[in-house]
Every structure is written in C-alpha cells, then in structure tokens.
C-alpha cells in the first residue's frame, strides 16, 4: 500500500519535473530570442550613431559654406564701396567682383550638394528608426512571453 502512494507521488513529481524542464527549455529559447533582439537593437543604435556623426559633419560643412557666403557678401559690399570711391579702378574691381561671384556660386552649389547629402542621410536615419521600432516591438512581445513563462514556473514552484 505504501509503495503505491510512493509511486503515485513519484509520478506527480516526474510530471512536475517534466513541466519544469519544458518551461526551462521554453525560457532558454525565449532568452536566445531576446539576446538576438538585443544585439539587433545595439547594432541599429551603432549605425544610427554613425549616421548622426556623419550628419553632424555635413551640417558643419553647410555651416562653413554659409559662413563663407556671408563673408563673401561682406567682401562684395566693401568692393562696391571701393568702386564708388575710385572710378579709375572699375576694370580691376569688375574682375575681383567676377571672382567673388564665381566663388559664391561655387559655394552655393557646394551648399546645395551638402543639403542633398543631408537629406539622404536623414532618410537613412529615418529608415533605421523604423527598423529599431520594429525590433523594439518584437522585443516587447518576447519579453511578455518570458514574463508569462516565468509566472507559470513560479505557479508550478509554489504548488
């Protein structure tokens, strides 16, 4: 009679042990998925940081270009004032003015190109943010699954 009770208790223990083993295996799988998702998020973050640094450099180049345009504008203004004072130097001043206008045009073109590059970089950053959002949603889903599994393990352990 005692052997039957002992065997019945042993069967329950085996069943609970099997459930714990299954839950542990499921938890391991979920943790692997979380580790993969975490790595993906970190990789995405690193790419975004690289793009941000690139964007900052491009913004500095644009700022430098606009500063140069402003400086050239001041220079043009000074040249016009000098032309009014010295009518005899009109030919030389015209040549200087031509070079300055050419420089302004070149700088404006460079600024336009920099803006195009900035727009492209911004689009890449936007795509990366969307990717991070997808990974984060998947991470949240997996984390909820792990929480559920942990609750089941705790309930089994409490029994």
């Amino acid at each position: 009679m005692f052997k039957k009770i002992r065997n019945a208790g042993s069967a329950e223990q085996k069943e609970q042990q099997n459930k714990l083993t299954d839950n542990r295996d499921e938890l391991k799988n979920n943790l692997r998925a979380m580790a993969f998702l975490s790595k993906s998020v970190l990789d995405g973050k690193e790419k975004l940081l690289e793009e941000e640094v690139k964007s900052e450099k491009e913004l500095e180049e644009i700022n430098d270009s606009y500063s140069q345009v402003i400086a050239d504008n001041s220079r043009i203004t000074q040249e016009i004032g000098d032309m009014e004072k010295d009518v005899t130097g009109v030919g030389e001043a015209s040549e200087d003015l031509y070079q300055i206008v050419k420089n302004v045009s070149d700088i404006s073109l460079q600024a336009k190109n920099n803006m195009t590059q900035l727009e492209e970089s911004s689009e890449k950053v936007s795509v990366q943010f969307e990717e991070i959002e997808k990974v984060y949603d998947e991470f949240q889903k997996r984390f909820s699954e792990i929480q559920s599994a942990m609750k089941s393990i705790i309930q089994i352990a409490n029994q």
Side-chain angles (χ1 to χ4, degrees), residues 53-114:
V53 168
K54 184 179 176 183
S55 295
E56 285 179 6
K57 287 179 182 177
E58 290 171 356
L59 284 173
E60 286 176 11
E61 291 175 6
I62 290 169
N63 188 29
D64 291 343
S65 296
Y66 282 118
S67 295
Q68 184 64 41
V69 167
I70 290 169
D72 285 345
N73 186 29
S74 295
R75 188 170 165 204
I76 289 171
T77 303
Q78 181 64 40
E79 289 295 325
I80 289 173
D82 289 345
M83 283 186 348
E84 290 174 355
K85 291 178 185 176
D86 190 9
V87 177
T88 59
V90 171
E92 294 173 3
S94 293
E95 183 62 29
D96 288 344
L97 183 60
Y98 171 77
Q99 289 299 322
I100 291 169
V101 170
K102 185 176 183 285
N103 287 342
V104 168
S105 176
D106 292 344
I107 290 169
S108 294
L109 180 62
Q110 183 182 8
K112 180 182 175 187
N113 290 338
N114 288 342

Side-chain angles (χ1 to χ4, degrees), residues 42-58:
L42 290 174
D43 290 345
K45 179 183 174 186
E46 189 174 327
K47 287 178 184 176
L48 283 175
L49 287 174
E50 290 172 3
E51 287 296 323
E52 183 178 5
V53 168
K54 184 179 176 183
S55 295
E56 285 179 6
K57 287 179 182 177
E58 290 171 356

